[in-house]
Amino acid sequence: MSKVNSSNMELDLDRPNIEDYLPTDSIHEPLGKLRLRDLLDISPTLREAGGAIVDDSFTRCFKSNPPEPWNWNVYLFPLWCLGVVVRYGILFPVRVLILTLGWIIFLSCYIPVHWLLKGHDKLKKRLERALVELICSFFVASWTGVVNYHGPRPCARPKQVFVANHTSMIDFIILEQMTAFAVIMQKHPGWVGLIQSTILESVGCIWFNRSEAKDREIVSRKLREHVEGADNNPLLIFPEGTCVNNNYTVMFKKGAFELGSTVCPIAIKYNKIFVDAFWNSKKHSFTTHLLQLMTSWAVVCDVWYLEPQNMKPGETPIEFAERVRGIISARAGIKMVPWDGFLKYSRPSPKLKERKQQAFAESVLRRLEDK
Amino acid sequence: MGNTSSMLTQYDIEEVQEHCNNTFSQQEIVSLYQRFCQLDRNSGGFISADEFLSVPEFAVNPLSQRLFRMVDGLNFKEFVAFLSAFSSRATLQHKVEFIFKVYDFDGNGKVAFSDLLDVLRDLTGQFISEQQRELVLTHVLEEAGYKKDSLLVLSDFMKILGNTDLKMEVEVPVD
């Protein structure tokens, strides 16, 4: 049994009513007096369970769709083989070269700037920002990234945060090449973690740990401090909290929406014809994911910078979060599902089951009174 | 039909179809197989508790534990047979039998008051007291002509549920 970890505390009571999304009929319609057959007839509950076994909206969010094999005939197969040769034999080495070149340039500028300009903070920050944007551009070039940016470019102003839907860690790189955001991320092991703790620190990143409950308050505080700081880099948050397959969005965590700042939504949609950019972190490591991207033809995506939103009077942070999620999903043309992304790592809160039980219990008691 | 292969042969499909009495079409069986493989993440040939409960929609169902115990350890053929009660081609008799099996936990063909109470408890949780549950059950049982210590068998269930509209169909998504 997987650990029922403390991120269950994330699953609050005051979240949008899942019953509105799930296709349920009421367990029993109140139809007069309670009879034996009404109690014995558990078919609606069974149907919901059967439906969940056969197909469910949560698993669909994390399904990476394998490309249909299109190359199994006499003339397409050699073409495909030629394609493989080009991709692995020509494109991949060129890309590795580009990336290596990029890293050399970056490090040879970054290290001196970081150590020698210790006193001149403003200049140092500006240069570091430009350098991070540079290395991200090199990364994007290494996958032949074709990114169409729509909308006004983000600018650094206090009291604003940026939120985007999340498909892979490359979302961050794609956005970062345009603007040096500060980001809030899960701390990763390995070389990614090394980059996180050195280079990304300079852009002003905040770390969290999914499995720690107390962490949530600390992170909340850090977010607030960052947003209020005048010359911090604009903060980018992925409120889904996990990577989703770019066909759906899962529920947004309210953390980004209760800071009292303007929220600027960003929608990202990848064109699956070229490559499926979804990073299934349970299946491959980030390194494998990058290699997969580097041996594909291109990464094509659209990025829309959408109109900044403020919390409306009388709106709760959760309603605000869902409203912004609706805006992003509509722009990117993807569907919304009512599940919390962290359910990938933990079980649903018992409150959800209790709500169903309560509804049924109340209907039984009500019908009992109808004599 | 090996555990490791994720391809079904025509022979396998027909065997499964026969086992479930043709309640699913061949396309539906292929879809169900994809689903089975998707849920059976460690390719053990059956779906474990953890894998079932990782489907949030299933985990929040009040009867998930009972259903899970019925479907635990089933291989694909038996999994399809289990789901056949949810097919639109399933007969009313089949559906009532399925409901009976959910109640008849120990599988002895008889449903006692305690079994009825257990299911009602799963469905209502802490929102009705135990005494109230017993009272409600005794009341409806007596009204239907049974006593508290009666043991219900399948034919009783058929009589009670036989003329209700059992809406238990689930659509199998076919790509």
Side-chain angles (χ1 to χ4, degrees):
Chain A
M1 194 67 182
S2 73
K3 53 184 161 73
V4 177
N5 52 30
S6 39
S7 52
N8 263 327
M9 286 175 39
E10 305 266 304
L11 306 165
D12 282 283
L13 251 178
D14 60 332
R15 53 199 321 197
N17 197 358
I18 288 192
E19 305 288 301
D20 296 334
Y21 288 87
L22 285 177
T24 55
D25 317 314
S26 55
I27 300 276
H28 269 102
E29 278 116 35
L31 285 169
K33 214 163 136 200
L34 192 68
R35 306 213 104 97
L36 180 58
R37 73 170 123 90
D38 301 315
L39 287 185
L40 283 188
D41 182 8
I42 49 176
S43 57
T45 314
L46 288 181
R47 179 160 52 81
E48 278 172 26
I53 295 178
V54 164
D55 188 22
D56 76 293
S57 54
F58 186 71
T59 319
R60 261 186 261 147
C61 293
F62 304 100
K63 206 164 94 159
S64 28
N65 299 313
E68 294 287 325
W70 54 272
N71 50 13
W72 303 114
N73 66 29
V74 180
Y75 56 92
L76 286 179
F77 187 60
L79 260 181
W80 178 77
C81 285
L82 181 65
V84 171
V85 166
V86 170
R87 278 189 287 134
Y88 283 81
I90 304 177
L91 285 182
F92 181 62
V94 169
R95 287 168 175 172
V96 171
L97 264 165
I98 293 178
L99 197 56
T100 320
L101 183 67
W103 273 107
I104 295 176
I105 298 178
F106 173 76
L107 288 170
S108 55
C109 297
Y110 185 83
I111 295 179
V113 165
H114 192 75
W115 292 112
L116 299 178
L117 285 180
K118 276 248 155 96
H120 309 79
D121 268 347
K122 260 215 140 104
L123 181 62
K124 174 164 166 260
K125 272 205 156 171
R126 264 225 315 250
L127 284 175
E128 283 177 347
R129 242 176 274 191
L131 284 172
V132 170
E133 286 177 25
L134 180 75
I135 187 65
C136 287
S137 308
F138 268 104
F139 261 110
V140 174
S142 77
W143 320 310
T144 315
V146 179
V147 188
N148 297 316
Y149 294 96
H150 311 267
R153 302 291 174 265
C155 48
R157 281 190 299 202
K159 297 293 243 170
Q160 77 177 359
V161 288
F162 290 83
V163 299
N165 58 319
H166 200 28
T167 305
S168 160
M169 281 230 284
I170 69 174
D171 292 338
F172 165 65
I173 299 179
I174 285 176
L175 292 176
E176 193 80 358
Q177 79 162 345
M178 185 55 66
T179 326
F181 287 110
V183 78
I184 160 171
M185 275 178 141
Q186 163 89 13
K187 204 68 186 289
H188 283 88
W191 64 271
V192 181
L194 181 64
I195 295 184
Q196 284 180 324
S197 33
T198 50
I199 300 167
L200 292 183
E201 277 294 343
S202 69
V203 215
C205 292
I206 301 173
W207 311 117
F208 72 86
N209 204 334
R210 262 181 213 124
S211 43
E212 274 169 44
K214 274 291 164 212
D215 205 55
R216 198 172 153 217
E217 284 141 36
I218 303 174
V219 167
S220 238
R221 193 177 33 85
K222 287 195 201 169
L223 283 179
R224 222 174 270 270
E225 282 168 9
H226 187 106
V227 169
E228 276 156 27
D231 49 28
N232 285 330
N233 287 323
L235 185 60
L236 173 65
I237 302 179
F238 293 106
E240 286 172 308
T242 188
C243 293
V244 185
N245 73 358
N246 211 225
N247 286 332
Y248 299 92
T249 49
V250 294
M251 285 173 114
F252 277 8
K253 303 218 165 304
K254 61 181 179 154
F257 300 89
E258 51 185 12
L259 301 169
S261 16
T262 312
V263 170
C264 310
I266 304 177
I268 308 177
K269 181 81 173 111
Y270 292 89
N271 190 331
K272 284 216 163 59
I273 299 180
F274 293 93
V275 77
D276 184 1
F278 169 48
W279 177 36
N280 195 336
S281 54
K282 285 192 168 180
K283 269 200 184 159
H284 346 276
S285 68
F286 190 56
T287 317
T288 320
H289 178 62
L290 276 185
L291 286 175
Q292 197 193 352
L293 292 176
M294 285 172 83
T295 53
S296 315
W297 289 107
V299 172
V300 178
C301 67
D302 284 285
V303 173
W304 291 275
Y305 296 107
L306 301 169
E307 194 185 321
Q309 302 289 324
N310 281 303
M311 191 147 74
K312 294 199 177 122
E315 211 178 24
T316 65
I318 295 204
E319 287 166 357
F320 185 31
E322 285 299 293
R323 183 163 63 86
V324 171
R325 179 159 81 111
I327 295 172
I328 292 180
S329 307
R331 180 68 268 191
I334 58 188
K335 301 191 197 108
M336 296 169 64
V337 296
W339 299 108
D340 181 331
F342 279 12
L343 287 173
K344 241 177 164 182
Y345 309 98
S346 66
R347 296 272 170 267
S349 160
K351 294 202 173 48
L352 294 171
K353 190 189 283 202
E354 282 171 16
R355 217 174 281 177
K356 286 180 190 277
Q357 289 173 324
Q358 186 173 14
F360 183 61
E362 281 171 6
S363 106
V364 165
L365 290 176
R366 197 173 32 223
R367 293 181 66 180
L368 203 57
E369 322 253 300
D370 292 350
K371 288 218 198 284
Chain B
M1 192 159 41
N3 292 346
T4 48
S5 85
S6 45
M7 291 294 298
L8 283 180
T9 66
Q10 183 64 25
Y11 176 70
D12 295 327
I13 297 177
E14 284 170 6
E15 195 187 323
V16 171
Q17 201 175 25
E18 212 189 291
H19 189 77
C20 71
N21 290 325
N22 288 331
T23 40
F24 287 114
S25 73
Q26 298 202 348
Q27 266 189 311
E28 287 171 331
I29 292 179
V30 172
S31 289
L32 284 174
Y33 189 66
Q34 285 170 352
R35 175 67 173 175
F36 186 82
C37 293
Q38 188 188 55
L39 291 175
D40 177 20
R41 262 177 288 212
N42 61 358
S43 304
F46 64 93
I47 309 175
S48 66
D50 223 30
E51 288 160 346
F52 259 115
L53 293 174
S54 71
V55 176
E57 228 170 284
F58 182 77
V60 305
N61 191 292
L63 293 175
S64 56
Q65 287 298 328
R66 278 194 165 240
L67 284 171
F68 172 68
R69 254 167 259 161
M70 286 167 79
V71 79
D72 184 21
L74 294 183
N75 65 19
F76 176 61
K77 200 161 77 169
E78 294 157 359
F79 175 73
V80 172
F82 170 80
L83 288 177
S84 57
F86 294 100
S87 158
S88 49
R89 298 183 195 83
T91 59
L92 183 61
Q93 163 94 3
H94 192 125
K95 294 183 196 174
V96 174
E97 267 174 32
F98 186 84
I99 295 181
F100 185 80
K101 273 193 229 141
V102 173
Y103 275 94
D104 180 21
F105 206 62
D106 47 14
N108 62 358
K110 301 199 245 304
V111 167
F113 188 78
S114 56
D115 294 321
L116 296 173
L117 201 58
D118 286 340
V119 172
L120 191 59
R121 194 181 306 118
D122 284 340
L123 287 175
T124 53
Q126 64 197 147
F127 298 96
I128 302 188
S129 72
E130 190 70 6
Q131 288 120 308
Q132 252 185 320
R133 271 192 283 262
E134 286 192 32
L135 273 171
V136 167
L137 265 176
T138 321
H139 172 80
V140 290
L141 270 174
E142 281 172 0
E143 225 200 339
Y146 295 98
K147 289 204 284 269
K148 187 170 164 176
D149 52 5
S150 310
L151 291 172
L152 298 171
V153 291
L154 182 59
S155 52
D156 293 309
F157 267 65
M158 276 306 296
K159 200 165 57 171
I160 300 165
L161 294 171
N163 48 8
T164 50
D165 204 10
L166 286 181
K167 293 196 189 68
M168 230 165 78
E169 280 105 47
V170 161
E171 201 187 305
V172 177
V174 171
D175 301 314

